[in-house]
Amino acid sequence: MSDPIILVDPLPRTLDLIMEPAVRARLDKLGKVVLSEDRPMSDAEVDRLLPETVLLFGQTAMPRARLDRAPKLKAIFNVETNFLPNVDYQACQERNIPVLSPGSAFAAPVAEAALGMAIDLARGITEADRDFRAGHEKYGLDANTRTFRLMGAPVGLIGFGDLGRNLRDLIRPFKNRVAVYDPWLPDEIIRRHDCEPASLDEVLSTSKVIFVFAGVTSENQGFLGPREFALMQPDTAFLLMSRAAVVDFPAMLDAIRSGHIRAAIDVFPVEPVPADDPVRSLPNVILSAHRTGGTTDALFAIGSMAVADAELIMHGLPPQLCRRADPAVASRLRSKPVDIT
Amino acid sequence: MSDPIILVDPLPRTLDLIMEPAVRARLDKLGKVVLSEDRPMSDAEVDRLLPETVLLFGQTAMPRARLDRAPKLKAIFNVETNFLPNVDYQACQERNIPVLSPGSAFAAPVAEAALGMAIDLARGITEADRDFRAGHEKYGLDANTRTFRLMGAPVGLIGFGDLGRNLRDLIRPFKNRVAVYDPWLPDEIIRRHDCEPASLDEVLSTSKVIFVFAGVTSENQGFLGPREFALMQPDTAFLLMSRAAVVDFPAMLDAIRSGHIRAAIDVFPVEPVPADDPVRSLPNVILSAHRTGGTTDALFAIGSMAVADAELIMHGLPPQLCRRADPAVASRLRSKPVDIT
Amino acid sequence: MSDPIILVDPLPRTLDLIMEPAVRARLDKLGKVVLSEDRPMSDAEVDRLLPETVLLFGQTAMPRARLDRAPKLKAIFNVETNFLPNVDYQACQERNIPVLSPGSAFAAPVAEAALGMAIDLARGITEADRDFRAGHEKYGLDANTRTFRLMGAPVGLIGFGDLGRNLRDLIRPFKNRVAVYDPWLPDEIIRRHDCEPASLDEVLSTSKVIFVFAGVTSENQGFLGPREFALMQPDTAFLLMSRAAVVDFPAMLDAIRSGHIRAAIDVFPVEPVPADDPVRSLPNVILSAHRTGGTTDALFAIGSMAVADAELIMHGLPPQLCRRADPAVASRLRSKPVDIT
Amino acid sequence: MSDPIILVDPLPRTLDLIMEPAVRARLDKLGKVVLSEDRPMSDAEVDRLLPETVLLFGQTAMPRARLDRAPKLKAIFNVETNFLPNVDYQACQERNIPVLSPGSAFAAPVAEAALGMAIDLARGITEADRDFRAGHEKYGLDANTRTFRLMGAPVGLIGFGDLGRNLRDLIRPFKNRVAVYDPWLPDEIIRRHDCEPASLDEVLSTSKVIFVFAGVTSENQGFLGPREFALMQPDTAFLLMSRAAVVDFPAMLDAIRSGHIRAAIDVFPVEPVPADDPVRSLPNVILSAHRTGGTTDALFAIGSMAVADAELIMHGLPPQLCRRADPAVASRLRSKPVDIT
């Protein structure tokens, strides 16, 4: 074997799902693609290929011992997009092998849907459609006794990574004050995006629209509980976009059921949601089955971002599009692998 | 009588509905407010007041003979916001009495709701909520087989007055090509807003999202008919925000029912919509009971715009916020007076 | 004579200067163009043409008696762009003949140059170039002891018509607070452009960069005098773009000479400026010979705006691009006809 | 010694120059600051402190042997902002010690000045001021025979790092096509900023305004030579902001002197420029003595960015504001240490 090998082991993704033909063609130019997508690549196959492998696309286990077998390896692309404990991140760091995720591909579609849901909650769009179909719609002013305008409403963001920044840009024409709580970021970053750094309590108590865009770590599970929902103003629009585990779900459902807040929910503690889950008949809520991120364009963006960075790396240049795993941070993240998106 | 009189005859509006207390206080500073809002002001009362009247707020009939009785009259504010044949516009023009409407107050809330509905149609938000409640929701990629992104989708606007311009500004972050059909406007105006002037057929056949924001005139009733719906691409999102009469309604409903297009409808030929109207069970559509404009803030904006212009006029300055009736144009418009918004 | 006549009497402009060939061709389609541009059209010729004239482009005298001779006249376009007492505005108003000016054509180039000059004054660009040529330039930090950043600096605008609004849009990326003093406008207009309404004294005392974009009226000549310059903060950048007569010129020159403020001046009380005027050797100032507006594109915009509005008017539609003279306002303006721009 | 030590060895900077008091106070909270700023810290002192040092601010030599002496070291901040061969980047990488530079602090002031200079070159501001002072100014249209509008002019950027992106945002209101040549970046990054990826020749031959914002590497020295200047359109505005070494200086001066292009130059091959350098009397050029970056706010931003990232690192979080040295890339860069900025 002398051709450089590109080991592609992408499950639960498949190459067709994440690469348009033109992108796939660019990948083929970088080396000999060896692909396993009907099942995960066997250990034997992986071990056989590693000595000539230059790029790895997939979630193949890569402990230190395997890295030792891969002296030509230049980068690992996690195309499922959540960093998992399948890789020895410290060993990769020592070898200058970046472990990369194009996970920001999902940020744009999620933010777009979140804006639509925020307008919907403010203006009562889905609810009014239900009323109309049920024959008891109200017209004009009578239909606006509980509505408010997103324009100018104080907005709060919990989490200000790719998702929060995408949403922030989409709402610029609405001229909101945007308060941000993100304990992982310096105030400078938040202010550069024309937002105000704020404590969690400030965000909760002063915002009319609250977006949750927070990753789960070992430290913040369930951090939005009864106390936090009580802090919110009546009729706050609360949008849970990511991740279900940061919220105390029963506390949220209570706040919705009582009419204290209205909400949009895209992520649930158990998915699929059980058939008899009472959330299905809850008022004051827009239900979305973990569907805001998984658009066709987002999947293709995973592939095009990964291939573009692979091209840079093969030319000796630093990657620009994917996020690089930080050994210290990767160990804090509590993502579970996707099975349905 | 020597105090300047401000004749206020605002039905179907009332002053409380259109003026916050601070705005009402500014009105009181401009003269002696004489108000009739439990019933329209009587002819006798109007005729008695006119000789000392400087400003008229309302839809009082003002034929030439009455204008002759009002030598001090400086302006007429139509607070219902549609120019009707109650005023002799030509006689007002000759006397330099502007007839003014703060109707653009409704543009911002309608545009905001229209954006929410456009994202909803593109991403299937309301429909997915219905599916979830019915127990047959789909997750992730499976839920996105028919969705598309508003981001980057070609947009078409039919009508580019206040509504179209508000919408145009709201969608700037979405980086769409925006084609505009408005036969009343020069191309220069359209290009200044970073849109492309286009024929009606171009707008219909090249856009993925089409917003109707057109006033009705004696010439354009029902101009969107079967031919026009057939021109649209499959799965076009069609948003009828204003006015119902520009659309051939049965043709539109056919296009929706067949699945050729998806739609959001805020205006209907007969309102309230009859209880047994089959539109109530139509798929592929968001139903909205003429409710996108009548928000609390829009009503208050009517009052604040009118009072601000009245202040300017009393200082000898030209009005800046309300639209001035053009005698030639006012006669073309076919608005019916509102009764429910 | 039965063809509709377009009477074109454009001096001091000429048609070639204000219309590109394609625009001129559009004009020719509207009627029979009768042009006099080597000298003003003679009274006899004007009187002979008026009975069949539908559009007038130029500054031809139009007293009431002449309007009586022009029963088919639909609009008058002042292509010099300053409303002068050559027209009986009240008589035009009574006959629904709009008197129109495409004067906003100059706003964009003036605002662009004003931004360049503002950055120049803040960062010392022209001055540093002079120092470099004189052999005593300073480098790096030493060259920045008196500079400040336009980014984030408090900005004040005196006058908020087309010029001010163009400038406001150009500086959006600089994230300034923008305070506006314009006694002709309601606060709502100012706030819609994300500016703060302010008194003159507030603008003067709180801004680091002050732009003057004010028209001259019978009431505001010389309203920026010694008291007003004294109110400014040390090292304020003061940009006099329009009109020279609103400033007490000697007071301004004193404030510049003493080093209290730095300035850019595009308009002068007497133009051309006398050869021995001491302003020519003043430090702390950028000198510009009334040259920021007269760009090629601005002249062509005069023609294209006028022709586009003429097309609308010939189709029975209201003009959209030019400003319409208000009889009450036109009499207040104190413009002198241009001779050099 | 048990307190964590912050070793500060900042020459040619000093702490007062790069940290406002509030930022300095934040630094003091992170550990015991040991500072040497009248001279570089002695080797003995460095070696004595390293065992307890957690953060290093400065350009202290850090070969592998010294890193071995610093087991508690968490990060190195290069406050001069150019990565130099003073550090063993590979050894730092292996130890998870990021080497960080807040060099993007200079991007905003340079971009601001570059915009001012671009408007100046397009509209002839500095040149017109010189003419005015020399007594031969031209007025109005006569003064605009060689000017063009930045608004809408095709713009080209050579290099699209922090500088290019800052400039791109500043010129958004000017609605230019922006073509970008940057061989280190994937097209996706360029398109995300609403720019068009282009070859060098395309940028040179299709742009009316060209900004050079390129770092020097071992491969691109002098890559803009006679052929490249010949490719430019007549009267192109060429702005050399960074770095002098990427340009063949004599070729550029020829193109300026002949009137083929006009230019603004902020960086020179030898600084200070010799007293008798003929560049000092060149026409068609704005001269700037390496002064666009070194503003007070930029220096303070160096300190605040470094301290904010230090705070994150001390809390176990990844840095967010400074750029991290990539071992592979750092070795390609050819910066010389600053002495005057």
Side-chain angles (χ1 to χ4, degrees):
Chain A
M1 286 205 298
S2 62
D3 251 15
I5 287 177
I6 302 173
L7 194 162
V8 185
D9 188 18
L11 289 178
R13 314 280 183 211
T14 63
L15 270 202
D16 278 0
L17 221 54
I18 63 171
M19 291 190 194
E20 294 181 283
V23 172
R24 173 64 201 267
R26 286 162 55 193
L27 181 67
D28 284 329
K29 287 201 183 139
L30 295 179
K32 178 174 158 53
V33 172
V34 182
L35 169 65
S36 173
E37 60 179 3
D38 51 353
R39 76 199 71 173
M41 194 175 281
S42 71
D43 285 353
E45 174 90 347
V46 170
D47 287 340
R48 188 178 63 80
L49 295 169
L50 281 179
E52 297 300 322
T53 295
V54 290
L55 298 170
L56 190 161
F57 287 71
Q59 292 67 249
T60 315
M62 288 298 284
R64 186 176 289 263
R66 272 201 172 155
L67 288 164
D68 287 341
R69 291 185 56 81
K72 300 180 179 174
L73 186 61
K74 293 177 187 293
I76 298 173
F77 291 90
N78 177 325
V79 296
E80 190 267 344
T81 74
N82 293 294
F83 291 124
L84 305 170
N86 62 320
V87 170
D88 186 327
Y89 295 98
Q90 175 58 31
C92 287
Q93 173 85 349
E94 291 167 10
R95 285 156 177 75
N96 291 324
I97 299 170
V99 186
L100 296 158
S101 162
S104 64
F106 294 115
V110 173
E112 177 178 289
L115 171 57
M117 290 171 173
I119 298 176
D120 191 319
L121 291 177
R123 304 296 301 280
I125 293 170
T126 294
E127 193 169 74
D129 174 81
R130 275 205 300 274
D131 288 348
F132 207 122
R133 291 170 187 277
H136 48 70
E137 78 276 11
K138 291 191 177 130
Y139 290 78
L141 310 187
D142 292 342
N144 280 286
T145 52
R146 286 185 64 216
T147 63
F148 65 89
R149 295 285 311 282
L150 179 60
M151 178 71 65
V155 164
L157 305 183
I158 296 175
F160 198 60
D162 294 314
L163 274 170
R165 296 178 206 191
N166 261 272
L167 189 282
R168 198 281 162 274
D169 282 343
L170 290 186
I171 61 171
R172 284 196 180 272
F174 290 87
K175 302 186 180 179
N176 313 284
R177 176 225 68 180
V178 181
V180 169
Y181 171 68
D182 190 324
W184 291 34
L185 291 181
D187 291 353
E188 282 85 346
I189 293 272
I190 293 168
R191 290 208 186 90
R192 278 183 194 178
H193 291 85
D194 305 312
C195 300
E196 299 173 12
S199 69
L200 178 60
D201 286 8
E202 283 168 347
V203 165
L204 298 173
S205 61
T206 67
S207 302
K208 189 74 187 163
V209 184
I210 298 173
F211 296 88
V212 179
F213 294 132
V216 197
T217 72
S218 42
E219 295 137 38
N220 70 2
Q221 288 181 269
F223 79 105
L224 295 170
R227 178 188 158 277
E228 285 69 30
F229 287 102
L231 276 177
M232 297 177 195
Q233 300 172 15
D235 284 320
T236 292
F238 179 80
L239 296 104
L240 178 61
M241 306 310 292
S242 164
R243 302 280 189 166
V246 302
V247 167
D248 174 341
F249 235 70
M252 178 182 69
L253 298 181
D254 283 349
I256 296 169
R257 191 178 300 111
S258 72
H260 177 51
I261 64 168
R262 49 189 90 168
I265 311 178
D266 190 49
V267 287
F268 297 84
V270 178
E271 297 176 0
V273 171
D276 59 352
D277 194 312
V279 77
R280 294 181 183 278
S281 56
L282 206 60
N284 307 318
V285 70
I286 301 169
L287 299 171
S288 176
H290 207 141
R291 61 187 293 281
T292 61
T295 59
T296 310
D297 62 293
L299 274 289
F300 284 149
I302 288 177
S304 62
M305 290 167 71
V307 170
D309 271 353
E311 289 169 339
L312 293 170
I313 288 165
M314 293 302 287
H315 285 85
L317 297 170
Q320 297 281 349
L321 292 159
C322 297
R323 181 190 311 275
R324 186 172 180 160
D326 179 307
V329 175
S331 65
R332 290 189 174 204
L333 293 168
R334 279 285 163 102
S335 294
K336 45 180 189 180
V338 293
D339 37 21
I340 46 180
T341 57
Chain B
M1 288 204 297
S2 61
D3 252 17
I5 287 176
I6 301 173
L7 194 163
V8 185
D9 188 18
L11 292 177
R13 314 280 184 212
T14 62
L15 271 202
D16 277 0
L17 221 54
I18 62 172
M19 291 190 195
E20 293 181 284
V23 172
R24 173 64 201 268
R26 285 162 57 193
L27 181 67
D28 285 330
K29 285 202 184 139
L30 296 178
K32 178 175 159 49
V33 171
V34 182
L35 168 65
S36 174
E37 61 180 2
D38 51 353
R39 75 200 74 173
M41 194 175 282
S42 71
D43 286 353
E45 174 89 348
V46 170
D47 287 340
R48 189 177 64 79
L49 294 169
L50 282 179
E52 297 300 321
T53 296
V54 290
L55 298 169
L56 190 161
F57 286 72
Q59 291 68 251
T60 314
M62 288 299 284
R64 186 176 289 263
R66 270 198 172 158
L67 288 164
D68 287 342
R69 290 185 56 81
K72 299 180 179 174
L73 186 62
K74 293 175 186 294
I76 298 173
F77 291 90
N78 178 325
V79 295
E80 190 270 341
T81 75
N82 294 293
F83 290 125
L84 304 170
N86 62 320
V87 169
D88 185 328
Y89 295 97
Q90 175 60 29
C92 287
Q93 173 86 349
E94 292 168 12
R95 286 159 177 75
N96 291 323
I97 298 170
V99 185
L100 297 158
S101 163
S104 63
F106 295 114
V110 173
E112 177 178 290
L115 171 57
M117 291 172 173
I119 298 174
D120 190 319
L121 292 176
R123 306 295 301 280
I125 294 170
T126 294
E127 195 169 72
D129 174 81
R130 275 206 299 274
D131 288 349
F132 208 123
R133 290 171 187 278
H136 48 70
E137 78 277 10
K138 290 186 177 135
Y139 289 77
L141 311 185
D142 293 341
N144 280 286
T145 52
R146 286 184 64 218
T147 63
F148 65 89
R149 295 286 311 283
L150 179 60
M151 179 70 65
V155 164
L157 306 184
I158 297 176
F160 197 60
D162 294 312
L163 274 169
R165 296 177 207 191
N166 262 273
L167 189 280
R168 198 283 160 271
D169 282 342
L170 290 186
I171 62 172
R172 284 194 181 273
F174 290 87
K175 301 187 181 180
N176 313 283
R177 177 224 67 180
V178 181
V180 169
Y181 170 67
D182 191 324
W184 292 35
L185 290 182
D187 291 354
E188 282 85 344
I189 292 272
I190 293 168
R191 289 205 187 91
R192 279 184 194 176
H193 291 85
D194 304 311
C195 300
E196 300 174 11
S199 69
L200 178 60
D201 285 8
E202 284 168 347
V203 166
L204 297 173
S205 61
T206 67
S207 301
K208 191 73 186 162
V209 184
I210 299 173
F211 296 88
V212 179
F213 293 133
V216 197
T217 72
S218 41
E219 294 136 38
N220 71 0
Q221 288 181 268
F223 79 105
L224 295 169
R227 178 187 159 278
E228 285 69 31
F229 286 102
L231 277 177
M232 295 176 194
Q233 300 171 15
D235 284 321
T236 293
F238 179 79
L239 297 103
L240 178 60
M241 306 309 290
S242 166
R243 303 279 189 162
V246 303
V247 167
D248 174 340
F249 235 71
M252 178 181 71
L253 298 182
D254 282 350
I256 296 168
R257 191 177 299 110
S258 72
H260 177 51
I261 64 169
R262 49 190 88 168
I265 311 178
D266 191 49
V267 286
F268 297 84
V270 177
E271 296 176 0
V273 171
D276 59 351
D277 194 313
V279 77
R280 293 182 184 278
S281 56
L282 206 59
N284 307 319
V285 69
I286 301 168
L287 298 171
S288 176
H290 206 142
R291 63 187 291 283
T292 60
T295 58
T296 309
D297 62 293
L299 273 288
F300 284 149
I302 288 178
S304 62
M305 290 167 71
V307 169
D309 272 352
E311 290 169 339
L312 292 170
I313 287 165
M314 294 302 286
H315 285 85
L317 297 170
Q320 298 280 348
L321 293 160
C322 297
R323 183 190 308 275
R324 186 172 181 162
D326 180 306
V329 176
S331 66
R332 288 189 176 206
L333 292 168
R334 280 282 164 103
S335 295
K336 45 179 187 180
V338 293
D339 37 22
I340 46 179
T341 57
Chain C
M1 289 204 297
S2 62
D3 252 17
I5 287 176
I6 301 172
L7 194 163
V8 185
D9 187 18
L11 290 176
R13 313 281 184 212
T14 63
L15 270 202
D16 278 1
L17 220 54
I18 63 172
M19 291 189 195
E20 294 181 282
V23 172
R24 173 63 199 269
R26 285 162 58 192
L27 181 66
D28 284 330
K29 286 200 183 139
L30 296 178
K32 179 175 158 53
V33 171
V34 183
L35 169 66
S36 173
E37 61 180 1
D38 52 352
R39 76 199 73 174
M41 194 176 281
S42 72
D43 285 352
E45 174 89 346
V46 169
D47 287 339
R48 189 176 63 79
L49 295 169
L50 281 179
E52 297 300 321
T53 296
V54 290
L55 298 169
L56 189 161
F57 287 73
Q59 291 66 252
T60 314
M62 288 299 283
R64 186 176 289 262
R66 271 196 172 160
L67 289 165
D68 287 340
R69 292 185 55 82
K72 300 179 178 175
L73 187 62
K74 292 175 187 294
I76 297 173
F77 290 91
N78 178 324
V79 295
E80 190 270 340
T81 76
N82 293 294
F83 291 124
L84 303 172
N86 62 321
V87 170
D88 186 327
Y89 296 97
Q90 175 59 29
C92 288
Q93 173 85 349
E94 293 167 11
R95 285 159 178 75
N96 292 324
I97 298 170
V99 185
L100 297 158
S101 163
S104 64
F106 295 115
V110 173
E112 177 178 290
L115 171 57
M117 290 172 174
I119 297 175
D120 190 320
L121 291 177
R123 306 295 301 279
I125 294 171
T126 293
E127 195 169 73
D129 173 81
R130 274 206 299 273
D131 288 349
F132 207 122
R133 290 170 188 279
H136 47 71
E137 78 276 10
K138 290 188 178 132
Y139 289 77
L141 310 186
D142 292 342
N144 280 286
T145 52
R146 286 185 65 217
T147 63
F148 65 91
R149 296 286 310 283
L150 179 59
M151 179 71 64
V155 164
L157 305 184
I158 297 176
F160 198 60
D162 295 312
L163 275 169
R165 296 177 205 191
N166 262 272
L167 189 281
R168 198 281 161 270
D169 282 342
L170 290 186
I171 62 173
R172 284 195 180 273
F174 290 88
K175 302 187 181 180
N176 313 284
R177 177 224 67 181
V178 181
V180 169
Y181 170 68
D182 190 324
W184 292 35
L185 291 182
D187 291 354
E188 282 85 345
I189 292 272
I190 293 168
R191 289 206 187 90
R192 280 185 193 176
H193 291 86
D194 305 312
C195 300
E196 300 174 11
S199 70
L200 178 60
D201 285 8
E202 284 168 347
V203 165
L204 298 174
S205 61
T206 66
S207 302
K208 190 74 186 163
V209 184
I210 298 173
F211 296 88
V212 179
F213 294 133
V216 197
T217 71
S218 41
E219 294 137 38
N220 71 0
Q221 288 182 268
F223 79 105
L224 295 170
R227 178 186 157 279
E228 284 70 30
F229 287 102
L231 277 177
M232 296 176 194
Q233 299 172 16
D235 284 321
T236 293
F238 179 80
L239 296 105
L240 179 60
M241 306 310 290
S242 169
R243 302 278 187 165
V246 302
V247 167
D248 173 341
F249 236 72
M252 178 182 71
L253 299 182
D254 283 349
I256 296 168
R257 191 178 300 111
S258 71
H260 177 51
I261 64 170
R262 49 189 90 168
I265 311 177
D266 190 49
V267 287
F268 296 83
V270 178
E271 296 176 1
V273 171
D276 60 351
D277 194 312
V279 78
R280 294 181 183 278
S281 56
L282 207 59
N284 307 319
V285 70
I286 301 169
L287 298 171
S288 177
H290 206 142
R291 62 187 291 283
T292 59
T295 58
T296 309
D297 62 294
L299 274 288
F300 284 149
I302 289 178
S304 62
M305 291 167 72
V307 170
D309 272 352
E311 290 169 338
L312 292 170
I313 288 165
M314 294 302 285
H315 285 84
L317 296 171
Q320 297 281 350
L321 293 159
C322 297
R323 181 191 309 275
R324 186 171 179 161
D326 179 307
V329 175
S331 66
R332 288 189 176 204
L333 293 167
R334 280 283 163 102
S335 295
K336 44 181 189 180
V338 293
D339 36 22
I340 45 180
T341 56
Chain D
M1 284 204 300
S2 62
D3 252 17
I5 286 177
I6 302 173
L7 192 163
V8 186
D9 187 18
L11 290 176
R13 314 280 183 211
T14 62
L15 270 202
D16 278 359
L17 221 53
I18 62 172
M19 292 189 194
E20 294 181 283
V23 172
R24 173 65 201 268
R26 286 162 57 193
L27 181 66
D28 284 329
K29 286 201 183 140
L30 296 178
K32 177 173 157 58
V33 172
V34 183
L35 170 66
S36 173
E37 60 179 3
D38 52 352
R39 77 199 73 172
M41 194 176 282
S42 71
D43 285 352
E45 174 88 347
V46 170
D47 287 340
R48 188 176 63 79
L49 295 168
L50 281 179
E52 297 299 322
T53 295
V54 289
L55 298 170
L56 189 161
F57 287 71
Q59 292 66 248
T60 315
M62 288 299 284
R64 186 176 290 263
R66 272 201 171 156
L67 288 164
D68 287 341
R69 293 184 54 80
K72 301 180 178 173
L73 187 62
K74 294 176 186 290
I76 297 173
F77 291 90
N78 177 325
V79 296
E80 190 269 340
T81 75
N82 294 293
F83 291 123
L84 304 171
N86 61 320
V87 169
D88 186 327
Y89 296 97
Q90 176 59 30
C92 287
Q93 173 85 350
E94 293 166 10
R95 285 157 177 74
N96 292 324
I97 298 170
V99 185
L100 296 158
S101 162
S104 64
F106 294 115
V110 173
E112 177 177 290
L115 171 57
M117 290 171 173
I119 297 176
D120 191 319
L121 291 176
R123 305 295 301 280
I125 294 170
T126 293
E127 194 169 74
D129 173 81
R130 275 207 297 275
D131 289 348
F132 207 122
R133 291 171 185 278
H136 47 70
E137 79 276 10
K138 290 188 177 134
Y139 289 79
L141 311 186
D142 293 341
N144 280 286
T145 52
R146 286 185 63 217
T147 62
F148 65 89
R149 294 286 311 282
L150 179 59
M151 178 70 65
V155 163
L157 305 184
I158 297 175
F160 197 60
D162 294 314
L163 274 170
R165 295 176 207 192
N166 262 272
L167 189 280
R168 198 283 163 272
D169 282 343
L170 290 186
I171 62 171
R172 284 194 180 272
F174 290 87
K175 302 186 180 180
N176 313 283
R177 176 225 68 182
V178 181
V180 169
Y181 171 68
D182 190 324
W184 291 35
L185 291 182
D187 291 354
E188 283 85 346
I189 292 271
I190 293 168
R191 290 206 187 91
R192 279 184 194 176
H193 291 86
D194 305 311
C195 299
E196 301 173 11
S199 70
L200 179 60
D201 286 8
E202 283 168 347
V203 165
L204 297 174
S205 62
T206 67
S207 302
K208 190 74 186 161
V209 184
I210 298 172
F211 295 89
V212 180
F213 294 132
V216 197
T217 71
S218 42
E219 294 137 38
N220 70 3
Q221 288 182 270
F223 78 105
L224 295 169
R227 176 188 160 279
E228 284 69 31
F229 286 103
L231 276 177
M232 296 177 195
Q233 300 172 16
D235 283 323
T236 293
F238 179 80
L239 296 104
L240 179 60
M241 306 309 291
S242 166
R243 302 278 190 168
V246 302
V247 167
D248 173 342
F249 235 73
M252 178 181 71
L253 297 182
D254 283 349
I256 296 169
R257 191 178 300 111
S258 72
H260 177 51
I261 64 168
R262 50 189 90 167
I265 311 176
D266 190 50
V267 286
F268 297 84
V270 178
E271 298 176 359
V273 171
D276 60 351
D277 194 311
V279 77
R280 294 181 183 277
S281 57
L282 207 58
N284 308 318
V285 70
I286 301 168
L287 299 171
S288 176
H290 207 142
R291 62 186 292 283
T292 61
T295 58
T296 310
D297 62 293
L299 273 289
F300 284 147
I302 289 178
S304 62
M305 290 167 71
V307 170
D309 272 352
E311 289 170 339
L312 292 169
I313 288 165
M314 294 302 286
H315 285 84
L317 297 170
Q320 297 281 348
L321 293 159
C322 296
R323 182 190 310 275
R324 186 172 178 159
D326 179 308
V329 175
S331 65
R332 288 189 176 204
L333 292 168
R334 279 285 165 100
S335 294
K336 43 180 190 181
V338 294
D339 36 22
I340 45 181
T341 58

